[in-house]
Amino acid sequence: MEEGSGRVSTGTDGGCPRGPTGQNGERMGELRTTFISRGRRSSIEADASFLELARRVGLSLPSLCGGRGKCAKCKCRPQGPTTPFTPLELEMLTEAERDLGVRLGCQARPLGAVEVPIEEERLDKGDYGEVRVTPEPILRKVYLELTPAAMHDDLSDIERLRAHLGDGLGGDLATLRTLAPALRQADFRVTATLMATPRGGEELVSVEGGDTRGQAYGIAFDIGTTTVVGYLLDLATGAEIARASRLNGQQPWGADVLSRASHAMEQPEGGAELQAAIVGTINQIIEDCCAGVDVRQVYYLTVVGNSIMHHLLLRLSPGPIAVSPYVTVTRDPLTVRAADLGIALPNARVFFLPLIGAYVGADTLGVILATGMDQSDEMQLAVDIGTNGEMALGSRGKLLACSAPAGPAFEGAEIHQGMRASVGAIDRVRLAEDVRLWTIGDAPPRGICGSGLIDAVAQMLRRGLVDSRGRLLPRPHLEGKLPPKLLERLVGQGHTWEFVLSRDPYVAVTQDDVRQIQLAKGTIHCGVQVLMEELGIQASQIARVFLAGAFGNFIDRRSALAVGLLPPTIPLERIQGVGNAAGQGSRMALLSTSIRKRSETVARQVEYFELSKHPRFEEIFIDSLAFPTSQG
Ligand code: FES
């Protein structure tokens, strides 16, 4: 933890030691904030905003504006004494919210002992399904009963191991430091873990007391800009022992990769802060997954993620990715010690799958590996929709990939009442005589998430509330054409109409929201169209479409076609949600040496295409903005 960041405790809520005076003139010892997330309590004594305090205990309140009081995504309900409402809070919060004790986490601070519940989010990205990989572990464990050192037998500890394991055996300093106590505490009956090195040799990574040959674990990570998922697997059998997901701890520095890259580039400690934040999230996931598993027996991690997440975790400068001509520091596969990155696994190595390009990362590579596009004779399209839409199109022998900057609208950001997919988010909408809504957790609606918005806009197009240019039609235009209950839900005047989905609590889709969705879907559609032109194919030739990621998994495929996210001539039955295919690729690489080798071959073969270089880019983009006219 960084110096001066406060006293942190997790899991218990004990006494409150007294400390120095904070900036509000309160005793620091009285400023105890306890965050409650997934039944776990994390406390901190410090004088800072709740957004900052949450970050310091390794949790995240949503934030899109970096704590400047502009996005209202950091709303929380602290229970206990807090600072008065700031002018920004008076502006951003409704009276009803203020009466309920809702605060902006970036503005409010504790004035005593405060508890802050943190909403659970729907962080799963959906299941890809079973890992169909034959494990080929990268390591072997050997049980040894060694003769203890004696006056007449003065081999060094490592030589004693070499006598059984081969002359070439080496170990780094960290492993050598553990050797003497491990051997002597176990009376020289130990299990040595040997990991294959890239040069074909073996490296000693741990020596454990007793026979632990049955225990060898690895964790496959998918590091998303919003969500990080980890899968703990048994390296010998491939069985999944546990999985956990968390919001990426870099949220306070912005929802999109470029805000974070800017922070890393512009602030002297920016890169270090972001690296610590993502390592904090990884360590939490390890803690979540490893209940009942000895972390010393987690030997291997694999990581997929977009190129900026990859660079920030490795503490490489994201600068070259963020500015023209958009290149990475390295695209090569890398293996590093987990401990060197601050990851709380003493014996683990981390394998970073290679990147494809500056804006098509190892996550897209994971999707390709999982879906087997690189081995298919059919023309296939994979689209992983997050704040960037990363996509690949092609078949065995020729795959093209690109990135389309869709922006965060599909994650509920920059939407009037948008929210991420957590409890109370409207995630499904149907319009008949009146509106029918579904919310996550069947809770009263609090806002609308990406899949709900796509549904809402698709339904509004179908009922003629929105025209093909994206205009939300004024109520007078629709008199007599809509059932009265739907008509009554159009409120506003002049050019500022909105469609009310829920009156109490109030949730509406505004004209601006429709424009945001239009822009985002147009960007994805444009990417697909450009790739098709580059390969010289028609949409009807695409045999399968894989929609990957949380959004792709939860989106209604019919609605995706209705708004024109994909070319409307692709038959519905060819589109399939594949859940967290990137995470699946990471799992496959964790278990199999052959898959890791394949990942390197595929990364070299996939051609990265920069959309804006296409001669008809602007024309295609403008065409892609229109909503399809025939609604099914
Ligand atoms: S308003 Fe608080 S983080 Fe944006």
Side-chain angles (χ1 to χ4, degrees):
M1 188 180 63
E2 70 213 77
E3 213 172 29
S5 61
R7 178 196 292 260
V8 178
S9 65
T10 302
T12 57
D13 193 10
C16 182
R18 300 189 72 78
T21 303
Q23 78 168 41
N24 291 309
E26 303 297 318
R27 298 291 303 176
M28 288 285 284
E30 292 160 359
L31 300 180
R32 184 183 187 83
T33 301
T34 302
F35 293 95
I36 304 165
S37 167
R38 304 184 191 191
R40 192 178 294 184
R41 300 165 72 83
S42 305
S43 296
I44 180 165
E45 291 167 45
D47 181 13
S49 72
F50 292 115
L51 181 76
E52 171 62 16
L53 293 171
R55 184 183 73 76
R56 290 188 198 171
V57 299
L59 293 169
S60 286
L61 289 173
S63 158
L64 297 176
C65 69
R68 287 178 288 115
K70 301 285 183 207
C71 70
K73 298 297 177 194
C74 59
K75 287 177 196 170
C76 57
R77 281 178 70 182
Q79 288 147 23
T82 52
T83 49
F85 286 103
T86 65
L88 274 173
E89 287 181 288
L90 295 176
E91 186 188 325
M92 302 294 287
L93 297 170
T94 63
E95 201 177 330
E97 285 175 321
R98 296 200 300 271
D99 287 348
L100 284 170
V102 174
R103 304 297 303 268
L104 293 185
C106 64
Q107 302 295 310
R109 310 162 81 96
L111 279 181
V114 179
E115 290 193 346
V116 187
I118 294 190
E119 293 279 355
E120 284 185 29
E121 301 218 14
R122 184 172 70 184
L123 293 179
D124 68 299
K125 296 186 177 181
D127 246 331
Y128 186 87
E130 249 178 80
V131 186
R132 277 178 236 99
V133 172
T134 309
E136 300 166 75
I138 191 173
L139 55 86
R140 67 186 177 108
K141 296 187 87 171
V142 183
Y143 176 61
L144 301 165
E145 293 187 357
L146 302 171
T147 312
M151 290 303 286
H152 60 277
D153 177 5
D154 61 354
L155 287 177
S156 69
D157 288 348
I158 189 77
E159 286 165 339
R160 199 165 298 279
L161 287 167
R162 277 189 197 132
H164 293 264
L165 300 171
D167 282 346
L169 185 71
D172 65 9
L173 182 58
T175 309
L176 291 176
R177 280 181 179 147
T178 64
L179 200 48
L183 288 171
R184 285 157 185 84
Q185 281 162 17
D187 206 15
F188 285 78
R189 294 186 176 145
V190 293
T191 302
T193 303
L194 307 165
M195 188 167 289
T197 63
R199 288 180 301 281
E202 279 185 322
E203 179 190 10
L204 181 69
V205 294
S206 87
V207 174
E208 297 153 16
D211 185 354
T212 65
R213 283 175 291 179
Q215 291 122 42
Y217 305 99
I219 306 180
F221 277 97
D222 166 30
I223 301 195
T225 311
T226 304
T227 308
V228 181
V229 189
Y231 304 88
L232 175 70
L233 304 183
D234 183 314
L235 290 176
T237 64
E240 180 179 315
I241 312 293
R243 74 170 71 177
S245 47
R246 292 263 179 175
L247 276 181
N248 187 322
Q250 297 173 339
Q251 296 291 316
W253 292 281
D256 60 295
V257 286
L258 287 178
S259 309
R260 297 188 203 166
S262 300
H263 182 73
M265 284 149 46
E266 289 162 12
Q267 301 301 321
E269 291 303 312
E273 286 175 324
L274 287 161
Q275 204 259 356
I278 185 57
V279 168
T281 307
I282 288 171
N283 284 338
Q284 282 174 343
I285 288 175
I286 290 169
E287 203 180 314
D288 294 342
C289 283
C290 287
V293 166
D294 186 340
V295 291
R296 290 170 300 183
Q297 292 169 343
V298 177
Y299 301 108
Y300 204 52
L301 308 184
T302 45
V303 169
V304 299
N306 64 54
S307 305
I308 288 185
M309 291 302 108
H310 166 280
H311 277 39
L312 291 175
L313 174 54
L314 283 163
R315 195 82 206 272
L316 301 174
S317 169
I321 302 177
V323 296
S324 178
Y326 313 115
V327 296
T328 55
V329 173
T330 176
R331 288 188 286 179
D332 299 343
L334 290 173
T335 302
V336 297
R337 280 180 57 89
D340 290 346
L341 298 175
I343 295 173
L345 293 171
N347 298 323
R349 305 294 186 265
V350 189
F351 177 73
F352 287 81
L353 273 79
L355 306 174
I356 293 173
Y359 285 96
V360 180
D363 45 0
T364 305
L365 179 62
V367 173
I368 293 171
L369 294 173
T371 54
M373 291 175 73
D374 58 309
Q375 299 178 325
S376 168
D377 293 322
E378 290 179 331
M379 187 59 63
Q380 298 184 335
L381 168 69
V383 187
D384 194 347
I385 305 169
T387 47
N388 262 347
E390 290 163 4
M391 57 196 79
L393 176 66
S395 58
R396 184 200 306 271
K398 178 121 178 131
L399 277 167
L400 278 186
C402 74
S403 172
F410 292 141
E411 295 187 344
E414 290 170 22
I415 297 296
H416 187 57
Q417 279 166 292
M419 60 184 288
R420 284 204 290 248
S422 60
V423 174
I426 295 170
D427 67 342
R428 195 168 162 225
V429 177
R430 290 291 175 268
L431 305 187
E433 288 302 301
D434 198 359
V435 170
R436 279 192 75 198
L437 299 177
W438 288 257
T439 61
I440 296 175
D442 290 328
R446 294 195 298 130
I448 187 162
C449 65
S451 56
L453 266 166
I454 292 281
D455 249 18
V457 173
Q459 293 282 310
M460 288 162 77
L461 281 161
R462 190 172 68 84
R463 301 307 299 260
L465 286 148
V466 170
D467 69 15
S468 65
R469 288 178 301 151
R471 192 166 65 118
L472 182 50
L473 297 179
R475 186 159 154 181
H477 280 52
L478 295 164
E479 298 279 0
K481 296 179 189 161
L482 280 180
K485 285 185 176 167
L486 288 185
L487 204 56
E488 282 167 18
R489 289 175 178 273
L490 264 173
V491 298
Q493 53 189 331
H495 298 294
T496 57
W497 291 86
E498 57 191 47
F499 185 67
V500 181
L501 295 176
S502 163
R503 293 194 176 89
D504 186 20
Y506 189 84
V507 181
V509 177
T510 68
Q511 175 66 73
D512 281 348
D513 296 342
V514 176
R515 294 285 180 221
Q516 290 293 338
I517 289 298
Q518 191 175 13
L519 204 58
K521 78 92 191 171
T523 309
I524 301 282
H525 185 283
C526 171
V528 175
Q529 200 67 35
V530 167
L531 290 186
M532 288 195 309
E533 285 203 8
E534 277 300 301
L535 282 177
I537 63 158
Q538 304 293 319
S540 56
Q541 291 172 260
I542 300 176
R544 297 178 86 182
V545 178
F546 304 110
L547 292 180
F551 182 68
N553 194 53
F554 293 111
I555 194 175
D556 182 303
R557 294 170 302 149
R558 203 177 293 274
S559 296
L561 281 177
V563 300
L565 183 75
L566 297 168
T569 47
I570 297 178
L572 184 70
E573 62 277 8
R574 293 189 193 169
I575 304 170
Q576 141 184 27
V578 289
N580 188 7
Q584 174 79 351
S586 185
R587 290 161 58 129
M588 291 163 67
L590 181 74
L591 293 176
S592 163
T593 309
S594 313
I595 300 281
R596 286 192 293 278
K597 284 198 184 124
R598 184 174 136 209
S599 76
E600 295 173 31
T601 309
V602 175
R604 280 195 303 271
Q605 284 175 347
V606 177
E607 288 174 44
Y608 173 54
F609 189 81
E610 176 60 45
L611 278 186
S612 56
K613 288 186 187 153
H614 191 278
R616 290 202 325 112
F617 169 71
E618 282 183 23
E619 194 185 328
I620 294 172
F621 179 63
I622 289 165
D623 288 349
S624 296
L625 288 175
F627 286 119
T629 44
S630 60
Q631 304 299 321

